[in-house]
Amino acid sequence: MIEKSSISELKGIGEKTSRLFGKLGITTVGDLIRYYPRGYDVYEDPVPIGSLEEGKVQTVTGVIYGRVQVSGSRKLQVTSMTVKDLTGTLKVIWFRMPFLRNTFAGGGQVTLRGRVVSRRQVLTMEHPEIFYPSEKYEEKKDSLQPVYALTAGLSNHTVGKAVQQALGELRLSKETLPEEIRLKYGLAEYNFALRGIHFPEDKQVFYQARERLVFEEFLEFILALRKLRDKNERAVNEYVIPENPQVEELIRRLPFELTGAQKKVWQEISADMASDTVMSRLVQGDVGSGKTIVAVLALLSVALEGMQGAIMAPTEVLARQHFANITKLLAEHQIPVKAELLTGSMTAKEKRRAYDRIECGYAKIIVGTHALIQGAVNYDQLALVVTDEQHRFGVRQREAFAKKGGVPHVLVMSATPIPRTLAIILYGDLDISVIDELPANRLPIKNCVVDTGYRATAYHFMKKQISEGRQCYIICPMVEESEHLEVENVLDYSAMLQEEMGSGIVVGCLHGKMKQAEKDEIMEQFARNEIQILVSTTVIEVGIDVANATVMMIENAERFGLAQLHQLRGRVGRGKHQSYCIFMTGLKAKETKERLDILNKSNDGFKIASEDLRLRGPGDLFGIRQSGLMDFRLGDVYQDAKILQKANEAADLLIQENSEWLQKIPEYESTASVII
Ligand code: ADP
Ligand code: MG
């Protein structure tokens, strides 16, 4: 069996199962072994019953106390019993397992591992795994069991078994890193790492395996970036854009004064475009810092020189929003420049007309989505390409975009908070500008971290805000196990909420499985205030600007990385009204509260990310992925900053020595499907 073999060659994987694997993007054995667990169950030492904490999965050892009882309806039989140790007693329940009454008839000592919840104010362990007699727990203790992201119909067990079989039967490929690099950085060998990431015998093995794989992933990415940089570096500026008095005039006439940071960045951009070499610049700025206007100034300068500038956004909604704002600005200031919209959902006829106007040079500012880089589009004189919310685009897409011109200026806008040292590595081919100041007129967002007991109060508060004409967002609990469940979840939640809110309020909902056109429709209804509460998964996160929305409530806030929560929070606080963010947590655990309190105290994205990292420490690899935005398979740029730095050093080394290995791996360029 080789990596390219179809997974249906594995025992026990028939047509149906293989289709389910397909849904996860797994078709070959190679895909399967690179489908890394999303987490691990750790079988830790049992804890005293007296110290159990609500919301956690824990293990206890105790003596069976009293009788085992079966109650509930025929449909859902509940078996309950009590176990006891020196520190307390614990109620334990199982669903649909009445036969346990016989199992435990002998009494004695038992070890149980499960989630601790609060039922009618009593701490209860729900549906735990059973080790009876207790000695059985010894075999599993300290081991890490992989937990895979699943899809409906596919169990964790099935995936685990398939991986195990694949690793056993696969003619494993040889080492992929040069030996010198591997030894220099003390990295585990490839095959060891692959086994170790799926089935680590202990935490030590897991750390070694993970470090090795993350290193490789970063190295690939960095090398791809270096290639891109080499190609672009010091390219002669074919499109010299001098400072334009009309643009300066526009800046003076804007309804607001640019912040100091916006002025500084605009200076940097216009200096770049007027210089001898072509611009490659990243503009980083927190949500709401006003990046768009800076990009628009650049586009306008280009257009006024008779050339074309294009801005690409990650979603249709955002593209339309930019287009509407730009057209409005041009009209208000009577600037004779033609803007054009180009998105995937336009009809063939609409598209053709747009293509024509772009090709003949009539359209000067082109706003769109991925449609902008498709083959059918030809530009007349493309001098500037802007990508908004860059973290959603891959390096290759950016390159494809740039190829549409001769060598156009490149401007990349990103709200991802990254410390400068990391940004230099991750955006290796770009100069960096930072907008580190928010417009002065903003009221800071008021935050609160609350538990689910506060939900009724929160709904009441929303009703009140809506009665004052405002709008709200609710981010639904995430369902990591499956996208399918996530959709159901959002639908159920909004139905429930509609009931709760009554007929005077319209609740809309948004999720990742909807068609683009549907999403756009919902977003536009929300923008027109035809929907007052928008229930959504995290698809809402990027760039949307509805100034009238003042409340953001995030369910299960403990499951998100702080940087992502901060992005979500950035959807409110964009207008003149006071805005609020409610972080609802399902857990009362102390650390959760402490983490979320960082958000409570700060509105500064950069600070938040580094604080979170400090609080959790680099050792916490089971934690939540911090960035949520950068799509590395395993690596996390915050958490694994040290590995990233090492990989960067290794890239330098390999390039310096002009290592043979670089030539031997031609496909390195194409594996960088990483998103930044
Ligand atoms: P982001 O940096 O998140 O992309 P936007 O560019 O969407 O932020 O700007 C958010 C809002 O702030 C917009 O409505 C924009 O018009 C407004 N804005 C931008 N710059 C300023 C400023 N200097 N003063 C006041 N409001 C501004
Ligand atoms: Mg933006």
Side-chain angles (χ1 to χ4, degrees):
M1 192 169 289
I2 55 170
E3 288 208 4
K4 289 211 175 71
S5 310
S6 157
I7 52 159
S8 55
E9 286 182 34
L10 293 168
K11 271 197 287 304
I13 299 194
E15 201 180 318
K16 184 161 151 261
T17 314
S18 113
R19 223 174 308 121
L20 291 172
F21 272 106
K23 277 195 184 167
L24 300 174
I26 303 168
T27 54
T28 67
V29 174
D31 297 337
L32 181 65
I33 58 172
R34 275 182 290 277
Y35 194 71
Y36 304 136
R38 69 168 171 84
Y40 301 85
D41 273 340
V42 190
Y43 286 72
E44 280 165 339
D45 284 335
V47 299
I49 288 174
S51 71
L52 286 171
E53 282 181 68
E54 184 188 345
K56 288 193 169 170
V57 173
Q58 292 177 302
T59 306
V60 293
T61 295
V63 175
I64 297 167
Y65 183 68
R67 283 209 292 157
V68 180
Q69 295 189 342
V70 178
S71 59
S73 64
R74 184 163 275 282
K75 236 171 114 191
L76 186 65
Q77 284 181 307
V78 180
T79 307
S80 58
M81 89 181 179
T82 304
V83 293
K84 195 172 171 172
D85 72 4
L86 290 172
T87 63
T89 56
L90 175 69
K91 186 168 181 208
V92 188
I93 60 167
W94 288 269
F95 305 109
R96 296 190 186 90
M97 293 172 82
F99 53 85
L100 287 177
R101 192 166 26 191
N102 299 333
T103 313
F104 291 123
Q109 188 170 286
V110 63
T111 294
L112 302 165
R113 178 177 187 278
R115 187 173 295 280
V116 182
V117 299
S118 174
R119 295 181 121 229
R120 300 197 191 96
Q121 317 291 344
V122 182
L123 278 193
T124 306
M125 189 174 271
E126 237 174 42
H127 212 77
E129 197 175 343
I130 299 161
F131 301 90
Y132 183 64
S134 273
E135 288 71 39
K136 282 196 179 160
Y137 191 66
E138 282 307 310
E139 289 165 32
K140 273 222 171 164
K141 201 160 82 70
D142 293 332
S143 75
L144 281 73
Q145 305 292 322
V147 178
Y148 296 94
L150 303 169
T151 184
L154 198 62
S155 73
N156 198 57
H157 184 72
T158 310
V159 180
K161 259 182 74 177
V163 174
Q164 190 127 42
Q165 208 193 125
L167 288 175
E169 293 181 16
L170 190 64
R171 198 149 26 84
L172 283 174
S173 48
K174 46 189 178 327
E175 181 54 47
T176 48
L177 283 176
E179 197 63 5
E180 39 167 319
I181 294 291
R182 199 172 72 73
L183 295 177
K184 181 169 160 63
Y185 295 100
L187 299 169
E189 201 263 328
Y190 180 65
N191 294 326
F192 172 89
L194 208 50
R195 257 176 227 290
I197 199 73
H198 287 286
F199 306 107
E201 289 100 55
D202 54 37
K203 284 192 182 174
Q204 204 50 41
V205 172
F206 165 75
Y207 287 133
Q208 286 171 356
R210 186 178 179 283
E211 174 161 2
R212 146 76 204 225
L213 294 170
V214 169
F215 182 97
E216 185 165 358
E217 186 176 37
F218 284 161
L219 182 65
E220 283 180 14
F221 175 70
I222 292 165
L223 287 172
L225 268 185
R226 296 292 177 90
K227 260 194 187 168
L228 197 64
R229 177 172 67 185
D230 288 347
K231 237 186 282 175
N232 296 346
E233 212 167 35
R234 283 186 294 276
V236 176
N237 185 358
E238 294 172 29
Y239 306 109
V240 178
I241 314 290
E243 266 187 37
N244 191 311
Q246 258 180 290
V247 176
E248 298 306 313
E249 174 64 24
L250 173 72
I251 293 176
R252 274 192 296 279
R253 281 167 46 197
L254 284 174
F256 47 75
E257 162 140 23
L258 291 184
T259 61
Q262 282 172 318
K263 284 183 192 158
K264 181 188 70 184
V265 172
W266 168 236
Q267 283 307 319
E268 289 166 344
I269 292 171
S270 49
D272 277 355
M273 293 197 301
S275 76
D276 301 336
T277 51
V278 69
M279 169 171 75
S280 296
R281 185 169 289 279
L282 166 74
V283 175
Q284 233 187 40
D286 214 344
V287 282
S289 61
K291 294 181 290 294
T292 318
I293 185 68
V294 175
V296 170
L297 294 174
L299 290 165
L300 194 57
S301 307
V302 166
L304 288 170
E305 286 303 310
M307 301 171 206
Q308 287 174 317
I311 176 167
M312 177 159 74
T315 62
E316 298 238 347
V317 181
L318 202 52
R320 288 232 176 85
Q321 187 180 291
H322 283 332
F323 179 73
N325 288 339
I326 290 171
T327 339
K328 189 162 147 244
L329 190 80
L330 293 173
E332 273 172 7
H333 297 268
Q334 285 143 30
I335 302 171
V337 161
K338 177 79 180 86
E340 188 74 47
L341 179 70
L342 183 61
T343 70
S345 71
M346 284 163 47
T347 64
K349 194 168 152 207
E350 286 169 334
K351 275 188 203 152
R352 226 171 312 114
R353 285 178 53 183
Y355 293 155
D356 286 346
R357 286 196 291 249
I358 294 168
E359 190 158 0
C360 74
Y362 174 66
K364 291 286 188 266
I365 296 180
I366 300 113
V367 185
T369 55
H370 286 93
L372 291 179
I373 52 175
Q374 248 109 62
V377 198
N378 292 307
Y379 294 83
D380 175 41
Q381 212 185 1
L382 186 61
L384 167 68
V385 297
V386 182
T387 49
D388 192 21
E389 304 290 346
Q390 168 70 16
H391 50 258
R392 292 284 165 177
F393 292 117
V395 173
R396 264 182 302 160
Q397 281 163 313
R398 197 167 82 210
E399 207 183 356
F401 199 4
K403 273 189 193 139
K404 288 280 184 186
V407 185
H409 298 292
V410 173
L411 191 60
V412 173
M413 325 289 281
S414 173
T416 319
I418 310 175
R420 198 168 176 88
T421 43
L422 299 187
I424 290 170
I425 301 173
L426 286 170
Y427 302 112
D429 60 325
L430 303 170
D431 297 320
I432 301 171
S433 290
V434 183
I435 303 187
D436 50 5
E437 186 183 351
L438 288 183
N441 61 351
R442 294 285 155 75
L443 290 168
I445 299 170
K446 290 192 176 158
N447 305 295
C448 60
V449 179
V450 297
D451 60 59
T452 47
Y454 185 82
R455 191 174 282 125
T457 318
Y459 289 163
H460 184 73
F461 179 71
M462 288 184 196
K463 275 187 199 162
K464 196 153 157 274
Q465 285 281 308
I466 292 168
S467 74
E468 289 168 19
R470 305 286 85 75
Q471 290 165 275
C472 314
Y473 296 103
I474 297 182
I475 304 299
C476 232
M478 287 199 293
V479 184
E480 286 216 341
E481 290 72 20
S482 110
E483 278 198 316
H484 181 73
L485 282 176
E486 186 155 286
V487 171
E488 251 172 47
N489 209 25
V490 175
L491 296 177
D492 285 352
Y493 193 105
S494 31
M496 178 278 293
L497 193 69
Q498 184 68 74
E499 188 97 337
E500 173 80 30
M501 291 287 155
S503 57
I505 292 174
V506 183
V507 177
C509 87
L510 203 64
H511 57 75
K513 279 280 145 89
M514 283 163 99
K515 289 219 179 67
Q516 189 59 50
E518 286 176 274
K519 278 194 229 167
D520 289 349
E521 180 58 32
I522 297 284
M523 269 323 297
E524 268 154 34
Q525 283 172 3
F526 188 66
R528 291 194 298 263
N529 198 0
E530 290 162 16
I531 289 174
Q532 283 78 46
I533 304 183
L534 187 60
V535 177
S536 171
T537 58
T538 51
V539 295
I540 195 74
E541 164 195 307
V542 181
I544 282 306
D545 190 26
V546 178
N548 192 45
T550 53
V551 182
M552 165 64 75
M553 174 167 131
I554 301 168
E555 293 273 358
N556 284 133
E558 74 278 3
R559 300 204 198 159
F560 295 85
L562 289 192
Q564 196 178 6
L565 286 176
H566 179 64
Q567 288 282 329
L568 289 167
R569 176 168 66 181
R571 296 310 110 221
V572 296
R574 303 187 139 242
K576 54 181 185 291
H577 307 288
Q578 175 63 53
S579 290
Y580 306 86
C581 189
I582 304 166
F583 300 109
M584 179 95 34
T585 77
L587 294 181
K588 285 184 181 144
K590 199 167 128 276
E591 308 92 85
T592 313
K593 183 98 177 143
E594 212 178 328
R595 274 185 67 228
L596 291 174
D597 267 342
I598 299 175
L599 283 175
N600 216 345
K601 290 196 195 104
S602 176
N603 280 314
D604 175 342
F606 289 77
K607 221 160 87 191
I608 287 166
S610 43
E611 264 296 288
D612 193 18
L613 192 59
R614 190 189 59 75
L615 197 68
R616 292 186 303 141
D620 179 16
L621 295 177
F622 303 105
I624 308 150
R625 283 168 74 101
Q626 174 55 248
S627 49
L629 296 170
M630 285 171 229
D631 239 5
F632 287 99
R633 221 173 243 271
L634 276 178
D636 182 297
V637 291
Y638 295 115
Q639 209 162 263
D640 304 314
K642 286 220 172 70
I643 307 180
L644 184 64
Q645 251 138 4
K646 281 190 213 164
N648 190 49
E649 203 183 291
D652 281 339
L653 220 70
L654 288 168
I655 291 170
Q656 230 170 54
E657 293 172 2
N658 196 10
S659 164
E660 266 176 54
W661 179 80
L662 287 177
Q663 271 85 57
K664 266 194 294 189
I665 318 253
E667 69 268 40
Y668 251 46
E669 182 176 31
S670 57
T671 50
S673 56
V674 172
I675 296 172
I676 62 173

